[in-house]
Amino acid sequence: MTIAAVERAFKLLEALADEADGADLTVLAERLDLPVSATHRLLATLAERGFVTQDPQSGAYGLTLKLSQLAFRNLDLRGLPDAGQLVLDGLARATREYCRLAVVEGESLTWIARAQGATAGLRYEPPMGMGIVLHATATGKAWLASLPEADALRIVCARGFDGEGRTGPNALGDVDALRQHLGETRSRGYALAVEEGEIGTVAMATTFRAELDAGAPVAGTLSVAGPLPRMHEARRGEIAAALATAARDMAAIWPLRRRQIGALPAVSTEAALRVLPTETSA
């Protein structure tokens, strides 16, 4: 299979990931700007490998669960979701909002775990499969602020400020605004995005390191997000404190879980919890 065919196959998988009820062959061909015959061959190959299935009645093509299974297998090997979930659940209880864990992968971030802390009223719960728009999210800005400024600006400029149309009304639109926000993030100790990612939402985020050593590399981010009326300015100090505590907790547990996937014997969840500092109260 040529490189072009591999790229087309990945684009086809990405297109199907956005179709809960599947999509017709002609629709997929138009979206990918490919001949119907070529699109059909790709679908047939993916179906043979178990990644795609066709509805016998409607004829629509859709993804199977094989991609999800592969993703979870990989995450299980890394020991990431369960390591983060211990701390993430505590952060959700403390803030009573939607919390997410993202990890650094090259020059990007990937969400790998979430916890819903809202028990009443509006519940903010966006999909986990969407990519992170770095300059328009608290998660992205928290990580960018941890980088040398030149690197942060280079990464964002290479991607552009349009965010593929997935930004809110207050999204940053130029380098000067981004530089100012990153400076404020460093001074404040956490990133803030007010209607930058989505209308009516506020998010706060901070980074955590791969271990408690202040010189350790940044391993990922923790974020708290919710509706604007509930994530008002008066609450942000409380949420920032919960984020800071969760970041320390995550740094404490991260090396333990990394060792678990090596040659050392597994450590129980109870043992992992015993290495955590005292959980933040709501």
Side-chain angles (χ1 to χ4, degrees), residues 212-237:
L212 285 173
D213 185 346
V218 170
T221 63
L222 292 163
S223 63
V224 178
L228 179 58
R230 205 163 59 218
M231 293 278 290
H232 49 77
E233 191 170 352
R235 285 194 67 206
R236 292 174 195 167

Side-chain angles (χ1 to χ4, degrees), residues 97-100 124 126 136-139 170 190-205 223-236 239 243:
E97 298 293 353
Y98 183 66
C99 301
R100 283 197 276 192
Y124 174 67
T137 58
T139 291
N170 295 335
Y190 65 88
L192 175 67
V194 180
E195 294 192 300
E196 292 181 47
E198 294 182 54
I199 295 175
T201 63
V202 174
M204 298 169 60
S223 63
V224 178
L228 179 58
R230 205 163 59 218
M231 293 278 290
H232 49 77
E233 191 170 352
R235 285 194 67 206
R236 292 174 195 167
I239 294 172
L243 275 168

Side-chain angles (χ1 to χ4, degrees), residues 4-277:
V6 172
E7 183 178 3
R8 290 171 182 172
F10 280 126
K11 287 183 177 179
L12 182 55
L13 290 172
E14 291 171 350
L16 288 172
D18 294 327
E19 299 291 342
D21 299 320
D24 293 332
L25 173 60
T26 53
V27 171
L28 292 169
E30 290 175 4
R31 187 173 302 175
L32 298 175
D33 194 23
L34 289 174
V36 171
S37 58
T39 306
H40 184 266
R41 286 196 297 273
L42 286 173
L43 287 167
T45 300
L46 291 170
E48 185 179 348
R49 296 294 301 168
F51 290 97
V52 169
T53 186
Q54 185 179 24
D55 188 287
Q57 295 183 338
S58 68
Y61 290 88
L63 292 181
T64 67
L65 292 177
K66 187 169 183 178
L67 275 177
S68 299
Q69 292 169 347
L70 290 177
F72 282 119
R73 276 169 53 187
N74 183 254
L75 288 174
D76 284 343
L77 287 174
R78 297 185 184 199
L80 294 178
D82 52 341
Q85 205 68 52
L86 291 169
V87 177
L88 204 59
D89 289 345
L91 181 61
R93 288 192 298 271
T95 61
R96 303 179 304 283
E97 298 293 353
Y98 183 66
C99 301
R100 283 197 276 192
L101 163 65
V103 293
V104 177
E105 290 198 325
E107 292 191 338
S108 189
L109 292 166
T110 301
W111 278 306
I112 64 163
R114 62 185 171 183
Q116 178 60 265
T119 57
L122 295 173
R123 288 165 62 95
Y124 174 67
E125 198 158 1
M128 289 281 284
M130 301 296 289
I132 300 174
V133 182
L134 297 178
H135 71 282
T137 58
T139 291
K141 289 194 290 183
W143 177 62
L144 290 170
S146 74
L147 302 175
E149 186 175 89
D151 289 343
L153 298 181
R154 173 182 56 79
I155 291 170
V156 173
C157 288
R159 299 183 178 205
F161 283 88
D162 62 354
E164 300 179 349
R166 295 189 292 112
T167 57
N170 295 335
L172 307 182
D174 56 57
V175 169
D176 289 337
L178 176 59
R179 183 182 286 116
Q180 178 183 338
H181 271 241
L182 296 184
E184 292 171 353
T185 297
R186 296 185 194 99
S187 299
R188 195 168 44 218
Y190 65 88
L192 175 67
V194 180
E195 294 192 300
E196 292 181 47
E198 294 182 54
I199 295 175
T201 63
V202 174
M204 298 169 60
T206 191
T207 57
F208 66 89
R209 298 189 178 275
E211 54 184 276
L212 285 173
D213 185 346
V218 170
T221 63
L222 292 163
S223 63
V224 178
L228 179 58
R230 205 163 59 218
M231 293 278 290
H232 49 77
E233 191 170 352
R235 285 194 67 206
R236 292 174 195 167
E238 165 199 345
I239 294 172
L243 275 168
T245 299
R248 290 193 298 272
D249 291 353
M250 190 68 77
I253 201 173
W254 208 251
L256 174 64
R257 292 302 293 131
R258 296 303 294 168
R259 289 198 299 273
Q260 280 187 293
I261 61 174
L264 295 182
V267 179
S268 67
T269 298
E270 290 77 15
L273 284 168
R274 285 197 291 273
V275 308
L276 290 171

